[in-house]
Amino acid sequence: MAIGSKRKTPPGISLLRRIRGRNWSPKTFRYAILLITFIAYACYHASRKPSSIVKSVLHPDSSTEPPREHINRYPWPLGNVFVKEENHQALLHRKSKGWEPFNGKDGTSRLGEIDVAFLACYSLGMYVAGHLGDSLDLRLFLTWGMIGSGFFVGLFGMGYFWNIHAFWFFLVMQMAAGLFQATGWPSVVAVVGNWFGKRKRGLIMGIWNAHTSVGNICGSLIAAGVLEYGWGWSFIAPGFVMSLGGVLVYLFLAAYPEDVGFPDINSNSGKFIKRNRNIDEEEEEEADVEEEGEGSGSGSGAGAGYENKRSVGLLQACMIPGVIPFALCLFFSKLVAYTFLYWLPFYLSQTTIGGEYMSVKTAGNLSTLFDVGGIVGGILAGYISDKFKARATTAATFMYAAIPAMLLYHSYGGVSQTVNILLMMVAGLFVNGPYALITTAVSADLGTHKSLQGDSRALATVTAIIDGTGSAGAALGPLLTGFLSTLGWQAVFYMLVVGALCAGLLLTRLVIAEIREKLGYVDEVPASEPLLNERR
């Protein structure tokens, strides 16, 4: 019997239920689930930003800064919204000696090593975290993951106050934080998948996936806002916010419909059974729903069927049709996306745009517009895949379209600031669209695949396999860019083109299956057909 069979209703929901005298409707719970998981994963991303913010403080180096007379200080379209005059504190940071052990000749490589260590542990931890997420109570699992992650992010910052200069300390803190960060994505995707059917899953998750960009922006603002008090606060503040998010999850996240008296959506054709809606009428009814929410009821509530469910192993999850192709596709998709994430600000600051250079600060702020295009791409990819019931075809098409978009950006991005920003946003749209689609709607689809026959829970495990494999590509892309950039940026963009091409080609078999289904060759569709044909 699964450990999660002894789950209880979240204490915050129990309190609100007693105050209101009745339960919320399924629709209200769905809104609450989207909001809480949005905040939760935004906290995860916010806690990842401090390292990029403090790099220039740990290893100050103005050798790559273009001459001030060649810097365009007020770029299109919002002028000084994107760049401000450097204040006194920023000048002190530039003139400082940095922080040992990151201020030597090998400082940049050491900063790169802790980034790779974080991503490597994050990627490996995904596989374990996914299986644990399907075995344990997702609410508690996500709670401890967030609190643990916030704790180790804060400890990294404490190295400033404790005057620690041992490289191994910062390396271990990043590795531990990476392992705890791995709890986030499989858990939140599983929770959303538990509450939403497949009919509009792509569109809903495409909008919901904006938490990544929101978290990045908030993390940058928080870390930069407290930087003047010491770089340690840039880690402690986001770590504290992360831990508060964990408390919010513990109090109010109903990870499963069964926890609050509703049946499993994935075993009821995507529809909730309307019952026990007015439990304020009778005290006995309220007690009955409470009992069901705690996993001890009968019927189609929390107690029914859950104890017979078991989590699946990694091998069994890999055998679900479509898991391996999408996981390998995400490897190359994330390779491309994370290369832009880590290197786009540097690329902008090192490239003449309209005959002028951008300051490092301006380049960093403008690079966020790539994420704006990504938000649009995620929503658009989700909507198209829902409308045509073709996840693989949508993802592959976006990856193929990313190839000319990236080449155009590299070739013509230097013409003017207007052209650069427009092409950057278009590239972000096509690069992040399939990345968002695969890590959300596709993972949720595969985790509730009908080949499981309702006997197992695989949402978190499947999500972990897919995103864990993708995270390996996320670590490899920026690493390769560090070497290839010495040969020129053209070599980097050729690498990105090859990555996008491989991502699209890996979905060829599933794309063919979807096309044949649309043409009416249902009987000849291969084993992946249950995923592709959602008209059940």
Side-chain angles (χ1 to χ4, degrees), residues 323-343:
V323 168
I324 297 300
F326 275 115
L328 294 176
C329 172
L330 189 63
F331 176 92
F332 290 100
S333 178
K334 264 197 163 184
L335 182 151
V336 175
Y338 270 66
T339 298
F340 276 98
L341 176 67
Y342 280 98
W343 285 93

Side-chain angles (χ1 to χ4, degrees), residues 46-369:
S47 67
R48 297 175 191 174
K49 291 298 292 182
S51 62
S52 64
I53 298 297
V54 305
K55 274 178 179 158
S56 61
V57 179
L58 300 177
H59 181 75
D61 183 10
S62 59
S63 61
T64 59
E65 187 84 9
R68 292 177 66 88
E69 61 269 20
H70 296 300
I71 295 176
N72 180 1
R73 308 191 58 77
Y74 302 102
W76 182 96
L78 297 177
N80 60 1
V81 170
F82 284 103
V83 61
K84 299 178 181 178
E85 290 289 340
E86 291 182 318
N87 57 28
H88 177 67
Q89 190 67 35
L91 293 174
L92 287 179
H93 286 160
R94 179 171 295 182
K95 295 177 181 178
S96 70
K97 296 181 179 179
W99 189 268
E100 191 181 349
F102 303 107
N103 60 349
K105 291 187 299 183
D106 58 348
T108 53
S109 63
R110 287 194 167 185
L111 289 170
E113 286 170 12
I114 64 173
D115 285 341
V116 172
F118 174 89
L119 289 170
C121 290
Y122 175 76
S123 176
L124 293 175
M126 275 280 187
Y127 298 99
V128 178
H131 181 67
L132 289 176
D134 281 329
S135 303
L136 307 175
D137 183 347
L138 278 173
R139 177 174 64 91
L140 298 180
F141 185 63
L142 187 59
T143 296
W144 287 112
M146 296 183 71
I147 293 176
S149 180
F151 176 74
F152 283 106
V153 170
L155 276 184
F156 190 103
M158 288 303 299
Y160 170 81
F161 298 99
W162 293 337
N163 200 30
I164 295 176
H165 297 279
F167 176 67
W168 67 264
F169 171 83
F170 299 105
L171 186 68
V172 170
M173 292 304 103
Q174 282 290 77
M175 294 173 68
L179 289 174
F180 276 95
Q181 287 267 323
T183 61
W185 192 241
S187 299
V188 295
V189 172
V191 171
V192 174
N194 288 337
W195 279 92
F196 289 87
K198 297 183 180 181
R199 184 169 172 265
K200 293 184 178 179
R201 181 178 279 171
L203 176 60
I204 291 170
M205 286 190 159
I207 298 172
W208 171 76
N209 194 61
H211 50 46
T212 299
S213 298
V214 172
N216 288 339
I217 294 170
C218 291
S220 298
L221 293 175
I222 293 173
V226 298
L227 185 59
E228 61 182 296
Y229 303 108
W231 65 259
W233 286 110
S234 294
F235 287 87
I236 294 173
F240 179 70
V241 172
M242 178 74 159
S243 298
L244 287 181
V247 175
L248 175 69
V249 166
Y250 174 77
L251 291 175
F252 295 104
L253 182 67
Y256 312 86
E258 304 98 298
D259 290 354
V260 286
F262 299 105
D264 182 0
I265 187 173
N266 293 306
S267 62
N268 287 280
S269 303
K271 296 181 180 179
F272 283 106
I273 297 176
K274 295 182 180 180
R275 61 186 186 84
N276 294 328
R277 294 287 297 277
N278 297 311
I279 57 176
D280 57 328
E281 305 283 323
E282 299 253 351
E283 190 175 2
E284 291 85 359
E285 290 184 14
E286 180 175 354
D288 180 58
V289 173
E290 282 284 344
E291 211 171 75
E292 287 185 348
E294 296 176 1
S296 57
S298 58
S300 57
Y306 183 84
E307 295 185 0
N308 294 325
K309 293 184 178 182
R310 52 185 170 77
S311 63
V312 302
L314 288 174
L315 182 60
Q316 184 181 354
C318 287
M319 297 304 293
I320 297 174
V323 168
I324 297 300
F326 275 115
L328 294 176
C329 172
L330 189 63
F331 176 92
F332 290 100
S333 178
K334 264 197 163 184
L335 182 151
V336 175
Y338 270 66
T339 298
F340 276 98
L341 176 67
Y342 280 98
W343 285 93
L344 182 57
F346 184 78
Y347 172 75
L348 288 170
S349 67
Q350 297 297 302
T351 306
T352 58
I353 301 175
E356 297 177 302
Y357 287 96
M358 289 184 180
S359 69
V360 173
K361 183 180 291 186
T362 304
N365 290 333
L366 283 177
S367 67
T368 60
L369 295 177

